[in-house]
Amino acid sequence: MAGAAGPGTGPGAAGGDGDDSLYPIAVLIDELRNEDVQLRLNSIKKLSTIALALGVERTRTELLPFLTDTIYDEDEVLLALAEQLGNFTGLVGGPDFAHCLLPPLESLATVEETVVRDKAVESLRQISQEHTPVALEAHFVPLVKRLASGDWFTSRTSACGLFSVCYPRASNAVKAEIRQHFRSLCSDDTPMVRRAAASKLGEFAKVLELDSVKSEIVPLFTNLASDEQDSVRLLAVEACVSIAQLLSQEDLEALVMPTLRQAAEDKSWRVRYMVADKFSELQKAVGPKITLNDLIPAFQNLLKDCEAEVRAAAAHKVKELCENLPAEGRETIIMNQILPFIKELVSDTNQHVKSALASVIMGLSTILGKENTIEHLLPLFLAQLKDECPEVRLNIISNLDCVNEVIGIRQLSQSLLPAIVELAEDAKWRVRLAIIEYMPLLAGQLGMEFFDEKLNSLCMAWLVDHVYAIREAATNNLMKLVQKFGTEWAQNTIVPKVLVMANDPNYLHRMTTLFCINVLSEACGQEITTKQMLPIVLKMAGDQVANVRFNVAKSLQKIGPILDTDALQEEVKPVLQKLGQDEDMDVKYFAQEAISAVAQRLRKLDCSAKASEEPSARGADKNHFLRPRGPGEDTGKGPAHQLHGNTRDTLAQLEIAELVHFSQSGD
């Protein structure tokens, strides 16, 4: 390799006879040796291009040996290399030459960085499928054996992921060797190797013959499940699912269940957590009989475990456990053996446990039916709906539709909604804020008619709350409701109530009207905005409070893009000119901002009109904008032209510039 593409035989040496075919590999070597990691990384990512340029034979004889000899780089470069080689079979000549890729990947499978080893193993698994059975035994199996008997634990951990892909196509003699190597790794002195073996135990069991599973895998599972390292024991629990699926009920009871019972009561909470986390899968794997005899008592213990993480994991599985129970007698089992423990978790001291339970408990209503839901579950829902943890309340509210299907909306309104209303009027503003955020969710579940009857007034009351954060959230809430129920509902139900607030004695409430118009205009569209909202905004320009007036200017700027040309020129522009002469500096500033934005909008409309070749419309627009105002059309304290005449006023200069622009563009 060095002789083929070293510095002395690079592009210059090849150029003597006009052959520069060595140039790509010379570039690769140069970049791989560069001090800049990014350059080396880019070079690795171009391997497929370089391999195509070299051809399959030179890729096998030059590129791959070079890569094998230079595996000493940064982890990110090695990771990219491991990923590239997994897709290299076609570039080395197809499946017949796939074994050429094994040496560099074998080296990568022994490096210290875990992610690099994992990627190398992934690529090796991919390449193994492209080997013929003969090539597999000749090249791939020896690689696995070398890794499995390597001096460093890194190679032995990598070997654990390769047994299952080569075992099915190996001969019986080789299969026995593979099983022997796997047994050795399961009892390795290094915990990291035993962890890797435990994590692949279930996968390996699936490709073994049933006799081998019972005679070899089950004893390995038992040993790993009682390992001194809890990180090994918890992985054995995961393997239990795969093993249980392969065995008969009798074998399960005799060979697996003693170990599983032990794991459910393990001294390490992490092992118990894994049992809880995999409970539904274990339940399906062992079948209904063992579930009733062994898993239900184990689940009860997990629900009252001393560690909150374990209780939370078990609480997450409550609904799945109940759904997977046999239909016959399911209701009795839940009511007698599960529900008493659930009731205790509702008042658990840990909020994660309560939140986990709240996310699934509503689903029990469809399993238990209407009467049991009303009698036993509704009190639990009410308790959780009043919980101090916002996530618990959210999980209850977001699943109300499950209960609605079972007991009906009327029953729901008599029980849960009073609690929601109570929270909506809570003395603590953060509680009120939390309920507002859930309101669109509730609206979607309860429907428009029921929402108008029970909750609409609540949403409007929030608009005049004494806390600004509540008023702001209520404003955004209205926009989401309009998006959910439509503009017709907004026009008939929301907009009139909002506009009435424009006459409220409290200036904060009048400002809230403007905030609502800002968000509703976009949701409601041009017609409703122009006919119903714009007149109110324009009227409020004469408000006595400066804060209201400058918010009028901001609102006009906000809704400007929604309005048509006539409304902008004949209604918005005069009002902004008046506000531009206001005695309050803030009002003048925001009016100036709005005038600039509106003028820009008019320019766009003017250009659009020209593009559509409608000169008469453009002329009309221009004349509307520039025509002299009559005496009755004055919008300021003096004639409108006074604003234009005051050349010392920056705002006036800006306005004149805009007028001149339109005049010239019109001509």
Side-chain angles (χ1 to χ4, degrees), residues 300-301 303-304 337-346:
Q300 292 172 342
N301 291 331
L303 287 174
K304 59 180 183 180
Q337 301 186 50
I338 302 296
L339 196 59
F341 295 90
I342 292 176
K343 290 179 179 178
E344 293 181 15
L345 291 185
V346 168

Side-chain angles (χ1 to χ4, degrees), residues 88 91 100 133 193 239 273 387 443 481 520 533 541 548 581 586 605 636:
F88 240 60
L91 299 172
C100 296
V193 178
Y273 174 90
D387 195 276
L481 291 175
L520 289 175
M533 301 186 198
V548 177
Q581 291 181 311
D586 290 331
L605 292 173

Side-chain angles (χ1 to χ4, degrees), residues 295-345:
L295 293 193
I296 294 295
F299 192 72
Q300 292 172 342
N301 291 331
L302 294 172
L303 287 174
K304 59 180 183 180
D305 196 275
C306 59
E307 289 292 337
E309 287 86 351
V310 179
R311 298 198 302 275
H316 263 302
K317 300 297 178 181
V318 164
K319 181 184 175 185
E320 291 180 35
L321 170 78
C322 296
E323 287 176 338
N324 294 333
L325 290 172
E328 185 180 353
R330 176 167 57 185
E331 183 180 322
T332 304
I333 295 170
I334 296 173
M335 296 299 297
N336 297 334
Q337 301 186 50
I338 302 296
L339 196 59
F341 295 90
I342 292 176
K343 290 179 179 178
E344 293 181 15
L345 291 185

